[in-house]
Amino acid sequence: MNILVTGATGFIGSHTCVSLLEEGHNVIAFDNFYNSKESVIDKIKLLSGKSFVFYNADMTDSEALEKIFSENDVDCVIHFAGYKAVGESVQIPLSYYENNIYGTLCLLNVMKAHNVKRIIFSSSATVYGNPASLPIKEDFPLTATNPYGRTKLMIEEILRDLWISDNEWSIILLRYFNPVGAHKSGLLCEDPKGIPNNLMPRLLDVAFGKMPHITVFGDDYNTKDGTGVRDYIHVVDLAYGHVKAVDFAMNNKCVEAINLGTGIGYSVFDLINTLNKVNNINVPYKICPRRPGDIDACYADPTKAKELLGWSAVLTLEDMCKDAYEASKKARNDF
Ligand code: UFG
C-alpha cells in the first residue's frame, strides 16, 4: 500500500516509517523539521534498506499538500505532524490551534479532494484527563486540561464529524500512552529541541551529565510508592501498532478510537531504578513538589487493540530503558 506519513522525521513518525517499509509498504513522507532533523531521512533508509519519497513541506501549506497528493497515489494517511509540548501550549495557544487544527483541516481537505478516505490519527491518552478509574478503556469520558490536549480532542471530534458526514471514511484514532525507548540500532531516538519536559529524556540528560539530578515531581500520590504511575510503551511496539492500524483501515470503514499502551503502570521510581539497573548507572534524584496538572496514575486497557488490530506490546521496561540509553549515548557522541 502507499502510505503518506505526516511528521515523518519525528520520534514516532520515523520509527513508524521503518516499520512500514519493513512490512513492504511504500512510504511517501513529509515534515517541516520543526522538531526533527533532516539526517533522519537517511537513517530510515539505512535501517529499512528501502527508499521512499520525501517532501520538505508544512501541513498548513495547502499548495504543498496538493502537490504531494497530485504526484502520488495515496491509499492511507498516518498523521503525526503537530506541536506536542503541554507547557508551551499554555504559553502560545494560538500557535497550537493554528498548527494542529488548521494544519489538520488543510490535510483533510486535500485528502477529500483526492478521494483519499483512510486516516490514522496520532491522538493521546491526554484526552482522558484525570480518569475516574483504571485501567482506561476507550469509552471513558473525554476531556482536556490544556491547549495541546484540546487540539487532540478537537481533531478527534472533527474526524468523528467527518465520518458521520460520509461513512466511506476509515478513521482510526490511536491514543498513545507514554512512548519511550528507541530503535535497537541506536540510530533513531527521541531528540527534543531545548529542555525536555518528559521523564525519560530528562533522565537521560541527567545520566549523561547535562543536568545534575532528576526532579521527582511529588512522592505523595495515591500510588504504590507515592510517585506518578504511567503506561510507558516502547516506540518500536508503538510503531508496529500503526502498521496493524493501516491493515485494519484498509479493510474496515469506521471511526474507532484505540488505546496503544502496554496495560502496565510503572512509577517514576520504577523507571529510575530500571534505567540504573540495566545500564549500570546511578542517576541522582531529588523529591520536589508536584507538577501542576499531573495525575496520580494512567494506564491503558489494551484489549481493544488486541481484538481489533491483533496488536499488543511485547517489549519490556528493561528494553525501553536499555534502548533509550544506548541511542541517547550514540546521539550525544555523534553530535
Ligand atoms: N516526572 C517527574 N520528573 C520529571 C518529569 C516527569 O517526576 O522531570 C513525572 C511526572 O510527574 C509523571 C511522570 O514522570 O508522573 C511522567 O511524566 P511525563 O512528562 O514523561 O509524561 P506525562 O504522563 O505527564 O505526559 C505524557 C505526554 C503528553 C501526553 C500524556 C498522555 O508528555 O503529551 O503523556 O498521557 F498527553
Side-chain angles (χ1 to χ4, degrees), residues 167-183:
N167 294 174
E168 287 298 305
W169 280 78
S170 299
I171 299 172
I172 316 286
L173 315 168
L174 294 180
R175 296 181 180 150
Y176 312 148
F177 282 68
N178 289 59
V180 295
H183 194 272

Side-chain angles (χ1 to χ4, degrees), residues 122-189:
S122 213
S123 189
S124 163
T126 195
V127 298
Y128 296 115
N130 193 352
S133 65
L134 293 164
I136 299 171
K137 291 171 93 75
E138 287 83 354
D139 59 2
F140 275 25
L142 305 179
T143 180
T145 54
N146 56 70
Y148 158 75
R150 256 184 287 283
T151 68
K152 292 293 180 195
L153 200 46
M154 284 177 189
I155 294 169
E156 284 204 5
E157 283 167 359
I158 288 167
L159 288 167
R160 261 187 262 281
D161 284 342
L162 183 58
W163 195 81
I164 290 167
S165 75
D166 179 357
N167 294 174
E168 287 298 305
W169 280 78
S170 299
I171 299 172
I172 316 286
L173 315 168
L174 294 180
R175 296 181 180 150
Y176 312 148
F177 282 68
N178 289 59
V180 295
H183 194 272
K184 239 307 55 28
S185 65
L187 283 178
L188 298 177
C189 64

Side-chain angles (χ1 to χ4, degrees), residues 52-72:
F52 63 97
V53 186
F54 185 87
Y55 295 85
N56 182 344
D58 189 303
M59 65 172 164
T60 60
D61 180 351
S62 292
E63 272 178 36
L65 296 183
E66 177 57 37
K67 180 172 154 52
I68 295 170
F69 278 82
S70 304
E71 291 179 358
N72 299 278

Side-chain angles (χ1 to χ4, degrees), residues 84-86 123-129 136 146 148-149 152 176-180 190 196-203 211 213-218 221 227-232 266-268 271-272 286 289-291 293-298:
K84 60 170 190 176
V86 173
S123 189
S124 163
T126 195
V127 298
Y128 296 115
I136 299 171
N146 56 70
Y148 158 75
K152 292 293 180 195
Y176 312 148
F177 282 68
N178 289 59
V180 295
E190 191 171 13
N197 297 303
N198 296 121
L199 181 59
M200 182 61 96
R202 287 172 80 122
L203 279 170
M211 280 178 11
H213 59 262
I214 187 77
T215 305
V216 176
F217 293 138
Y221 283 105
T227 65
V229 163
R230 297 290 184 273
D231 186 337
Y232 297 97
Y266 287 111
S267 72
V268 174
L271 207 67
I272 297 176
K286 276 193 185 163
R290 293 180 177 200
R291 183 171 64 177
D294 276 356
I295 58 176
D296 299 68
C298 170

Side-chain angles (χ1 to χ4, degrees), residues 89-107:
S89 78
V90 178
Q91 306 301 322
I92 49 168
L94 298 184
S95 300
Y96 271 68
Y97 290 121
E98 176 163 349
N99 187 66
N100 294 6
I101 306 283
Y102 173 68
T104 300
L105 290 174
C106 293
L107 176 69

Side-chain angles (χ1 to χ4, degrees), residues 299-329:
Y299 52 90
D301 179 336
T303 310
K304 190 172 174 184
K306 185 156 197 187
E307 285 176 359
L308 253 50
L309 308 182
W311 172 92
S312 43
V314 293
L315 296 166
T316 64
L317 188 65
E318 281 76 12
D319 295 319
M320 300 177 213
C321 289
K322 185 106 207 126
D323 295 343
Y325 181 85
E326 288 301 330
S328 186
K329 182 160 79 182

